[in-house]
Amino acid sequence: MKFFIDTANLNEIKEAYDLGVLDGVTTNPSLMAKEGIKGIENIKAHYKAICDIVDNNVSAEVIATDFDNIIKEGKELAKIDDKIVVKVPMIKEGVKAIKKFTSEGIRTNCTLVFSAGQAILAAKAGASYVSPFVGRLDDISQDGLELISQIRLIYDNYAYDTEILAASVRHTMHLIQCAEIGADVATCPLNVITALLKHPLTDSGLEKFLADHKKVNG
């Protein structure tokens, strides 16, 4: 399973990349705003800075909601770097745009997916990634992980090339369960990735090894 980090913070991206397990980055307008990035040229420059850190797969989201402007904005984003994946919302005009981008060799990430039906449309339009939001479904007492499982089954039934990118992953169990189900990618905050390092028996075992070494070697 690929690990993407869901942030626009350059320091967090560098830390995850230096860990040696990072496969990509997802961003959105809210994450850009959180970092105080505003203005079209500044946003483009920030995307380029992200691309300069990672090896591939930087999802950059369009703001437009009509076909012509989604295409215009997406093409501008795609020009920033070959690593850019144009992130498009799951709306009628977005699906049409995904089909157009796919025909022109531009990779896409269909975002804000909350049902298996939406995931089918995204795959048929040729999306490179589909992003079902696990945590947001959990928030309204629906099973986000069950949706991942449904999409996995459907995509396997028809050998769709679209990769399942589990989004809104909020804790380590979300991530591990997505891996068990067979999500191709999980995107999450840095603290979820680093939490995978932790286990009390690892800590106590290392402490004992070091103490024993010190006893013998001083």
Side-chain angles (χ1 to χ4, degrees):
M1 184 170 70
K2 297 174 187 174
F3 279 14
F4 290 2
I5 186 171
D6 195 35
T7 186
N9 184 284
L10 297 181
N11 290 329
E12 291 181 352
I13 294 167
K14 288 175 183 174
E15 183 177 343
Y17 184 80
D18 289 344
L19 187 59
V21 300
L22 189 67
D23 300 292
V25 177
T26 54
T27 64
N28 58 48
S30 297
L31 292 172
M32 281 289 189
K34 184 178 178 181
E35 298 304 313
I37 311 300
K38 58 184 178 179
I40 299 299
E41 294 309 312
N42 288 333
I43 290 171
K44 288 181 180 179
H46 198 76
Y47 279 132
K48 180 59 179 171
I50 293 172
C51 290
D52 288 344
I53 297 170
V54 300
D55 297 328
N56 204 349
N57 302 308
V58 177
S59 284
E61 188 164 346
V62 299
I63 304 299
T65 56
D66 64 286
F67 177 81
D68 289 340
N69 283 309
I70 291 173
I71 296 298
K72 179 181 178 181
E73 192 178 338
K75 287 184 176 181
E76 287 298 313
L77 290 171
K79 287 178 185 177
I80 296 171
D81 196 284
D82 290 341
K83 299 171 186 175
I84 292 289
V85 179
V86 179
K87 198 172 182 184
V88 180
M90 169 39 73
I91 55 175
K92 183 178 180 180
E93 299 301 292
V95 172
K96 289 164 62 178
I98 287 168
K99 184 67 173 179
K100 175 69 172 173
F101 286 135
T102 302
S103 72
E104 298 184 7
I106 295 174
R107 293 182 296 162
T108 55
N109 175 359
C110 185
T111 191
L112 293 171
V113 168
F114 294 97
S115 75
Q118 290 177 326
I120 293 171
L121 290 176
K124 287 187 67 65
S128 308
Y129 299 97
V130 61
S131 290
F133 279 48
V134 176
R136 293 196 194 183
L137 282 170
D138 288 356
D139 289 344
I140 60 167
S141 301
Q142 292 186 16
D143 191 341
L145 292 166
E146 176 59 27
L147 176 59
I148 301 293
S149 183
Q150 276 187 303
I151 298 170
R152 178 77 279 157
L153 175 62
I154 292 166
Y155 281 13
D156 289 348
N157 282 347
Y158 299 101
Y160 287 131
D161 293 328
T162 301
E163 294 188 51
I164 301 169
L165 195 167
S168 190
V169 171
R170 294 179 177 168
H171 48 73
T172 56
M173 285 309 301
H174 265 165
L175 195 155
I176 291 166
Q177 288 168 323
C178 285
E180 289 176 334
I181 293 166
D184 300 290
V185 189
T187 188
C188 53
L190 177 62
N191 68 323
V192 175
I193 295 173
T194 55
L196 293 174
L197 292 164
K198 302 296 184 182
H199 195 284
L201 292 180
T202 302
D203 296 339
S204 62
L206 180 59
E207 184 179 352
K208 185 177 188 308
F209 292 157
L210 294 176
D212 290 344
H213 174 81
K214 186 175 182 180
K215 285 178 186 177
V216 175
N217 296 281

